[in-house]
């Protein structure tokens, strides 16, 4: 039986509608909600992200500013710039576009973002709140994966959830979020590069969540019949023809497509629910970023 598709667009649309209503209320109070992105140097990938963020922010009435800083800046200069944004009352949310140039440390820069303006939820204070199940500004992708899982309507209590990938931005915060409830939590297992027998853990998962960045890592045979599969991976791979040769575009370059970490065609035959890539976790992540910005305004203006 083919799996049900967990479409991100629909869920993202609902979150955005809620955010839009509250942004309008703030507007009536004379408060214009704003999100500020800081990009250092020119990175084509970051530019695409920024363009999409701007479009989504504007859809819900959030004003989006992209600050482009030259690559020649020192880390101290970038931090100083962020501290100015921290002090500016008109700035509600701040995000750092990654990657940053090699002479800088993205984590240290992110840590300079004020906890109540931390739209990506990556400040140690906000990550720390997750331990207590009290996260307000939460890591967007981790929250997006949890939101998609909740959209299945399955009671999570006691389920075996295997999270593949233990990065600070996805796997670790997601695991903390899965343990939010004292009595109703599932049982998470976290796998990573040093896990000895990955398929042992994936095969017994009622819910399999994958955030690695390796196309084809999770094959159909590694998935339990009826499992929920949430694929966070984003990988650019060449489009191949029937003989396995790369298809070229009009300019003679390899035609590329985006895939996840899971072999979708195999997984959809075994899973009960599955997220598509693209169109699954991605749109929800952006919607959570907007909701975090709204939460940030509430923290700044109302202290809650
Ligand atoms: P990362 O490189 O920081 O972490 C990768 C994780 O995968 C590590 O924990 C590592 O131990 C684990 N890993 C590597 N090889 C493995 C293997 N063979 N078996 C098991 N575990 C293995 O990556 P990240 O920033 O967490 O991102 C992971 C993926 O999620 C990437 O493809 C990224 O593009 C994607 N991503 C998507 C969104 C979204 O909005 N959809 C957002 C962030 C990241």
């Amino acid at each position: 039986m083919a799996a049900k598709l967990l479409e991100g667009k629909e869920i993202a649309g609902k979150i955005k509608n809620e955010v839009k209503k509250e942004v309008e209320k703030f507007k009536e109070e004379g408060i214009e909600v704003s999100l500020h992105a800081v990009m250092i140097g020119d990175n084509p990938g970051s530019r695409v992200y920024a363009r999409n963020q701007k479009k989504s922010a504007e859809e819900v009435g959030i004003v989006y500013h992209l600050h482009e800083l030259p690559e020649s800046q020192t880390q101290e200069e970038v931090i100083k710039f962020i501290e100015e944004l921290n002090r500016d009352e008109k700035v509600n949310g701040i995000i750092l576009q990654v990657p940053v140039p090699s002479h800088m440390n993205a984590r240290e820069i992110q840590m300079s973002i004020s906890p109540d303006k931390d739209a990506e939820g990556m400040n140690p204070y906000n990550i720390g709140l997750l331990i207590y199940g009290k996260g307000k500004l939460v890591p967007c992708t981790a929250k997006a994966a949890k939101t998609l899982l909740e959209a299945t309507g399955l009671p999570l209590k006691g389920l075996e959830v295997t999270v593949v990938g233990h990065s600070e931005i996805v796997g670790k915060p997601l695991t903390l979020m899965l343990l939010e409830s004292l009595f109703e939590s599932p049982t998470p297992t976290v796998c990573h590069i040093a896990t000895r027998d990955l398929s042992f853990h994936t095969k017994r998962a009622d819910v399999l969540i994958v955030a690695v960045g390796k196309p084809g890592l999770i094959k159909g045979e590694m998935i339990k019949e009826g499992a929920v599969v949430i694929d966070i991976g984003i990988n650019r791979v060449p489009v191949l023809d029937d003989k396995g040769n790369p298809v070229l575009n009009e300019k003679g370059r390899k035609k590329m497509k985006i895939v996840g970490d899971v072999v979708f065609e195999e997984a959809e035959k075994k899973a009960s629910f599955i997220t598509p890539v693209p169109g699954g976790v991605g749109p929800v992540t952006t919607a959570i970023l907007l909701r975090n910005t709204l939460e940030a305004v509430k923290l700044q203006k109302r202290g809650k």
Side-chain angles (χ1 to χ4, degrees), residues 20-62:
K20 191 175 179 186
K21 278 186 206 146
E22 293 205 53
V23 167
E24 274 162 14
K25 273 193 214 148
F26 273 112
K27 226 175 240 169
E28 285 162 17
E29 293 174 30
I31 296 164
E32 193 167 62
V33 179
S34 70
L35 176 60
H36 292 247
V38 176
M39 185 168 91
I40 311 155
D42 194 12
N43 180 293
S46 294
R47 214 168 263 290
V48 173
Y49 273 122
R51 212 170 32 235
N52 290 340
Q53 286 164 354
K54 183 173 166 44
K55 188 169 159 275
S56 299
E58 287 173 354
E59 274 167 25
V60 300
I62 293 178

Side-chain angles (χ1 to χ4, degrees), residues 4-20:
K4 279 194 198 129
L5 262 192
L6 276 172
E7 299 266 15
K9 241 190 188 166
E10 206 177 297
I11 296 162
K14 275 190 202 150
I15 297 171
K16 279 161 111 181
N17 276 340
E18 288 160 16
V19 173
K20 191 175 179 186

Side-chain angles (χ1 to χ4, degrees), residues 70-85:
E71 194 167 342
S72 59
Q73 289 228 316
T74 64
Q75 176 152 310
E76 288 66 37
E77 286 169 320
V78 173
I79 290 178
K80 230 173 158 189
F81 180 77
I82 288 184
E83 284 168 350
E84 278 168 33
L85 295 178

Side-chain angles (χ1 to χ4, degrees), residues 88-275:
D88 186 341
E89 276 189 16
K90 290 206 180 92
V91 174
N92 302 121
I94 305 172
I95 55 176
L96 176 71
Q97 299 288 358
V98 288
V100 296
S102 54
H103 64 282
M104 292 184 192
N105 180 324
R107 280 286 173 269
E108 280 176 22
I109 301 173
Q110 274 168 335
M111 283 184 198
S112 72
I113 297 174
S114 172
D116 67 349
K117 297 193 174 184
D118 175 29
E120 283 186 302
M122 286 307 294
N123 184 289
Y125 175 81
N126 287 318
I127 297 270
L129 287 179
L130 292 181
I131 294 269
Y132 303 103
K134 299 221 177 297
K136 278 233 157 75
L137 304 186
V138 289
C140 305
T141 306
K143 183 68 180 177
K146 173 114 190 282
T147 305
L148 282 156
L149 174 56
E150 285 163 350
T152 61
L154 293 176
L156 300 186
K157 186 176 177 178
L159 287 186
E160 292 293 329
V161 181
T162 296
V163 178
V164 188
H166 72 335
S167 68
E168 288 108 3
I169 193 161
V170 191
K172 283 186 194 168
L174 172 59
T175 306
L176 292 175
M177 285 177 196
L178 290 169
L179 294 171
E180 242 160 33
S181 162
L182 273 184
F183 300 110
E184 309 280 308
S185 289
T187 303
T189 299
V190 184
C191 300
H192 44 76
I193 185 85
T195 297
R196 238 181 277 150
D197 185 353
L198 182 60
S199 60
F200 168 78
H201 298 284
T202 60
K203 270 185 196 160
R204 58 182 199 85
D206 301 309
V207 177
L208 177 60
I209 309 182
V210 192
V212 171
K214 290 190 176 160
L217 179 70
I218 305 293
K219 300 179 176 50
E221 73 218 24
M222 296 166 76
I223 298 169
K224 181 177 171 179
E225 197 75 44
V228 176
V229 177
I230 298 183
D231 190 356
I232 300 177
I234 301 177
N235 307 290
R236 253 168 74 82
V237 297
V239 177
L240 303 177
D241 65 16
D242 300 342
K243 291 180 188 132
N245 298 317
V247 176
L248 303 181
N249 64 18
E250 331 58 76
K251 289 182 183 156
R253 294 202 191 111
K254 279 184 194 163
K255 215 173 170 180
M256 305 297 279
K257 63 176 179 178
I258 301 288
V259 297
D261 293 337
V262 176
V263 182
F264 185 88
E265 302 72 29
E266 294 176 12
E268 71 166 341
K269 292 186 189 126
K270 303 264 304 269
S272 54
F273 290 91
I274 188 166
T275 55

